[in-house]
Amino acid sequence: MVKDVVLPEPIAREGLRILGIETSCDETAAAVVVDARDVLSSVVSSQVELHAPYGGVVPEIASRAHVEFLIPVVARALLEAGIDDDQVDAVGATVGPGLIGSLLVGVSAAKALALVWGVPFVGVNHLEAHLYAAFLEEPDLELPIVVLLVSGGHTLLVLMEGHGQYRLLGSTIDDAAGEAFDKVSRYLGLGYPGGPAIDNIALEGDPRAVEFPRAILDEGYDFSFSGLKTAVVNYVRKNPGVPIPDLAASFQEAVVDVLATKARRAAREFNAKGLCLAGGVAANSRLRERILDVCVEDGLRVFLPGRSMCTDNAAMVAAAAWWRLRSDGPSPLDVGAYPNLRLPVA
Ligand code: KG4
Ligand code: ZN
């Protein structure tokens, strides 16, 4: 529930324009969002091409690129939103979790802009921001809901009982779901980032071609994906002629099967009103299809943010900043960057 914090004018009024800044990994992003509802602009400058030759994100390259791109991206976000800098009411930026060098660029810039413009600064938890992507499209989403947050760095099953009120039901004990997609893609020579590559090629494959293991499927809400990656490697060694689309589709099916089965069980056990997807892997076509089927069968509401809202962006950061501003007020300007920040769970 939103705590009863008395905010000074003009922060308490409606129509608050928040500039969101996201630099936790390899996307330099800025957005202007009004009251966590109306996205006036959302600019994402992807560094994919810079990191692709290395098969993954190189932290040093990421932070240097953020330094170069962030201010032009902010300027573009203001331009596209059709507002001047004196019309920004607050600045929210991701303070963690993420790569320390990358985070420092966004946090420093956001605090400096807030100071110069004389507006509140709000430090945002990147994981909470992913949860709030769904609220941008469905602001009146009825709680409690079960959120499956699946990204390159995290795999969390969360019961969201109120705004800012989360219960962590389970998480991965080894690789994150997106990490598994990226590693298997690299192994199969499909390139980086792996998720979209596997998603695409799997469309031409048979998901039942290889029966890969579904780790800890029937036990609790934790996940494990490192054994699945090893199973793919072992299978290819024994069957070198196997068609890549079949492998990709079968691997994807195993990941999606575990994610959808556990999310469904959690929604039933905790009487959730709906199921929501968040994080980069939530852009996966097969996962979206399965979650949609589950929700139709179980009479649950389904919240699938648009694909551009699933991967890292700053609109979700601005939305989370708005909710945090309402519940906790502005953050102090001596806030740091926290690479291992966790979701604030009960
Ligand atoms: O949320 P995100 O943009 O960044 C992190 O916070 O990690 O997620 C990136 C991850 C990568 O591992 C990427 O391969 C995965 O999301 N991803 C996908 C798809 N699009 C992105 N995984 C599966 N299918 C996709 N279509
Ligand atoms: Zn993310």
Side-chain angles (χ1 to χ4, degrees):
M1 218 23 79
V2 176
K3 280 175 255 159
D4 204 11
V5 172
V6 181
L7 292 171
E9 283 290 341
I11 309 173
R13 68 169 168 78
E14 280 191 14
L16 217 59
R17 283 174 291 244
I18 298 196
L19 170 69
I21 289 179
E22 159 62 36
T23 63
S24 67
C25 191
D26 62 337
E27 321 278 9
T28 313
V32 179
V33 179
V34 184
D35 292 345
R37 284 171 184 258
D38 299 325
V39 181
L40 300 187
S41 65
S42 179
V43 180
V44 180
S45 167
S46 170
Q47 301 176 8
V48 160
E49 283 175 16
L50 293 178
H51 301 284
Y54 305 94
V57 177
V58 183
E60 180 75 17
I61 293 177
S63 15
R64 285 166 188 259
H66 288 309
V67 170
E68 289 173 23
F69 299 140
L70 182 56
I71 294 304
V73 164
V74 167
R76 172 102 174 261
L78 295 180
L79 190 75
E80 286 188 11
I83 63 168
D84 288 324
D85 49 14
D86 61 356
Q87 292 172 293
V88 172
D89 297 307
V91 182
T94 300
V95 296
L99 302 169
I100 184 65
S102 292
L103 290 168
L104 287 172
V105 177
V107 174
S108 306
K111 290 201 289 188
L113 290 174
L115 186 68
V116 170
W117 292 339
V119 297
F121 163 74
V122 189
V124 173
N125 181 315
H126 182 79
L127 301 173
E128 186 166 67
H130 271 302
L131 299 185
Y132 273 95
F135 285 85
L136 277 168
E137 287 164 26
E138 293 271 353
D140 303 315
L141 208 153
E142 208 183 338
L143 301 172
I145 53 169
V146 164
V147 190
L148 179 62
L149 200 175
V150 270
S151 70
H154 299 88
T155 304
L156 307 177
L157 198 56
V158 177
L159 181 68
M160 185 169 179
E161 296 173 302
H163 287 287
Q165 274 198 331
Y166 314 110
R167 197 159 6 141
L168 183 61
L169 305 178
S171 57
T172 182
I173 58 172
D174 41 52
D175 291 352
E179 196 180 350
F181 271 94
D182 292 336
K183 286 180 175 170
V184 167
S185 174
R186 199 179 317 157
Y187 176 69
L188 298 179
L190 298 175
Y192 166 84
I198 291 192
D199 196 350
N200 272 334
I201 202 161
L203 294 172
E204 299 152 29
D206 175 5
R208 290 173 304 269
V210 188
E211 185 66 18
F212 284 122
R214 272 79 165 146
I216 48 176
L217 184 66
D218 300 319
E219 292 161 42
Y221 294 115
D222 282 339
F223 303 92
S224 167
F225 294 111
S226 72
L228 176 57
K229 178 193 65 201
T230 312
V232 173
V233 173
N234 289 339
Y235 190 86
V236 175
R237 282 204 186 119
K238 284 189 198 142
N239 307 273
V242 59
I244 300 288
D246 284 353
L247 263 182
S250 302
F251 159 77
Q252 178 175 272
E253 194 65 17
V255 176
V256 167
D257 203 13
V258 176
L259 294 174
T261 303
K262 296 208 178 207
R264 171 183 224 164
R265 188 161 6 105
R268 284 180 179 165
E269 181 176 344
F270 296 98
N271 289 322
K273 300 263 193 295
L275 256 177
C276 172
L277 284 184
V281 183
N284 183 267
S285 335
R286 182 66 186 130
L287 180 60
R288 295 170 81 87
E289 196 176 60
R290 272 291 295 275
I291 293 291
L292 202 61
D293 288 348
V294 160
C295 289
V296 170
E297 282 168 25
D298 288 7
L300 293 165
R301 291 205 60 197
V302 60
F303 306 102
L304 303 178
R307 281 181 166 80
S308 61
M309 283 299 149
C310 292
T311 47
D312 288 349
N313 67 85
M316 67 183 195
V317 174
W322 186 82
W323 283 99
R324 276 290 156 196
L325 193 57
R326 281 187 42 169
S327 66
D328 302 352
S331 306
L333 282 177
D334 61 359
V335 160
Y338 310 96
N340 301 316
L341 193 65
R342 289 163 181 264
L343 193 69
V345 290

